[in-house]
Amino acid sequence: MAEDDEGRIGVVPALVRGAFLVNAVYAESAREYGLTSQQGKLLCVLMEGPLGMGELGAMLGLAKSSLTGLVDRTERNGLVCRESAPEDQRAVRVALTPEGSDLVDEFYAETCRRVDGLPKGFSDAERGVLAGLLGRIVLDNDVPVLFAEPDEIAARRR
């Protein structure tokens, strides 16, 4: 469906263009914090605690070599570190450093603020409908939690 007389577009272009819009806002926020989008995603995923390389690769959709390079670059910047897994000293987990934790707290809050402003013309009821519909799409497709609810993050980190 092309854009109609009332300025509406179909589901497919709306979802694709919406994804591009959110990615652009996310990338701009990351740049302002000296991060790449991938580094920002890595830090946000690690907000809930250290994860193994396999878990990170699956969540971020990265091949092993790409993930290793991402972790290496982010580690060189002092934002993450590798540590042995307590259950298996041969396994490696990636964790935030204190500097990474401080940076991701600011980056996450600012990025949430920016994304939350995208539907600025919506009423509370419209925002609820949007959240419900998009939430169903995400849950029905088993999308991993890359960016949790701000309230959930705050509660888990207390």
Side-chain angles (χ1 to χ4, degrees):
M1 171 179 171
E3 191 170 316
D4 70 18
D5 293 339
E6 295 178 26
R8 293 180 296 207
I9 60 176
V11 170
V12 173
L15 285 172
V16 171
R17 289 168 70 181
F20 273 92
L21 175 61
V22 171
N23 283 334
V25 168
Y26 193 90
E28 180 183 344
S29 185
R31 273 192 306 278
E32 290 178 14
Y33 282 87
L35 301 168
T36 65
S37 291
Q38 288 288 352
Q39 288 173 326
K41 290 175 188 173
L42 174 64
L43 296 181
C44 286
V45 166
L46 293 173
M47 288 178 82
E48 295 191 44
L51 293 170
M53 294 291 278
E55 293 170 292
L56 283 172
M59 291 179 83
L60 296 173
L62 295 175
K64 187 176 181 179
S65 62
S66 297
L67 178 63
T68 299
L70 172 62
V71 172
D72 287 347
R73 289 186 300 279
T74 311
E75 187 173 37
R76 278 194 300 272
N77 291 338
L79 303 175
V80 299
C81 62
R82 288 176 169 95
E83 57 185 36
S84 296
E87 66 279 357
D88 181 356
Q89 294 298 308
R90 296 169 296 166
V92 174
R93 296 187 324 170
V94 180
L96 293 170
T97 63
E99 295 82 8
S101 184
D102 290 345
L103 179 67
V104 76
D105 285 346
E106 291 179 33
F107 167 70
Y108 177 81
E110 177 59 18
T111 304
C112 285
R113 185 191 66 73
R114 291 177 186 199
V115 172
D116 188 55
L118 292 175
K120 60 184 169 264
F122 286 24
S123 68
D124 287 345
E126 289 170 323
R127 290 173 68 89
V129 169
L130 178 65
L133 293 172
L134 290 174
R136 278 181 44 203
I137 291 171
V138 167
L139 295 174
D140 289 350
N141 289 280
D142 298 319
V143 177
V145 178
L146 297 175
F147 210 84
E149 290 282 348
D151 296 343
E152 291 175 19
I153 293 290
R156 288 183 192 140
R157 297 186 89 195
R158 284 187 199 129

